[in-house]
Structure formats: C-alpha cells, structure tokens
Amino acid sequence: MTTSTPISIATTYFEAGARGDLDTLMSVVSDDVTAESPVGPIEGAAAFRAFWENFGRMYKQIDLVGAYGDDDTAALFYNGTSDLGTLPSSERQSIVDGKIAHVVFIWDMAPFAGAGGPR
C-alpha cells in the first residue's frame, strides 16, 4: 500500500492543474470537497471541477513558488501568468483520508476589476 503525504497529494493536484489535466487533479479531490475563494464558496466535486475549468482558462501558465505540508495540511504558493500580468496566489488544503477535502484560495481581486473574471 502506498502512503501519500499531504505535500505529495498537493503537488500531484498542482502539476495536473498547471497542465490542464482535470481528471488527474480531481483524482486527489474528495467527492464532497468544499472551498472558500474570493469569488465565493464552492461545494462538491462538480462545482470544484467547474471552478478549475474557469480558473485554468484564465491562466497561460502557472508556476509553483513553494509547497509546504504537515500531517493533514498543505499550502501552495504560485504565480499565474494571464493577460492581466503575473498574479501571485496561494491555497491551503485540508487533506482527509488521502484526498483534498477543503481548500482556501487566496488571491488579490484588484487586477480582475473590470476584466470580467474570474467567475
């Protein structure tokens, strides 16, 4: 049996998201995932995938700056490159039974004012 650490789960998730592989990204996300984001709450795997579909279209490239974890939490820091420039972002993930159960996304909404995204 392979034991996945929160940091390995988070990096699998990040690398999949960065290359647009939502099937792999969702393979490490709980069916009843919840998230908090600057654009509002997200509940359930279908809504989380829809969020990532929109999020992924917004960025031309996403580069990991740092990834840190402990026994049940991971934190990712990354820069997303979009038509609005480079947008620093971060997220804190709670890992339960080897899956991402809750995410708190953090980014500055100011660059999006008047740009029509993200939704």
Side-chain angles (χ1 to χ4, degrees):
M1 181 171 128
T2 302
T3 302
S4 296
T5 64
I7 197 69
S8 69
I9 292 165
T11 55
T12 295
Y13 159 95
F14 177 83
E15 290 167 358
R19 68 177 181 270
D21 180 357
L22 294 186
D23 290 335
T24 299
L25 181 145
M26 293 304 297
S27 76
V28 295
V29 172
S30 164
D31 289 341
D32 58 352
V33 64
T34 59
E36 302 166 50
S37 84
V39 295
I42 302 163
E43 295 187 20
F48 194 84
R49 185 182 184 105
F51 169 85
W52 257 97
E53 287 170 349
N54 189 46
F55 191 70
R57 280 191 300 267
M58 185 174 63
Y59 289 109
K60 297 176 183 174
Q61 182 174 332
I62 305 172
D63 297 307
L64 188 64
V65 175
Y68 308 93
D70 60 21
D71 292 340
D72 57 8
T73 306
L76 300 175
F77 301 88
Y78 47 92
N79 290 322
T81 304
S82 76
D83 291 338
L84 301 173
T86 300
L87 305 169
S89 302
S90 63
E91 52 188 89
R92 180 182 49 83
Q93 303 173 347
S94 298
I95 312 297
V96 176
D97 296 329
K99 299 271 188 168
I100 297 168
H102 184 74
V103 180
V104 177
F105 292 99
I106 303 166
W107 69 79
D108 182 4
M109 289 296 289
F112 299 103
R119 294 184 255 307

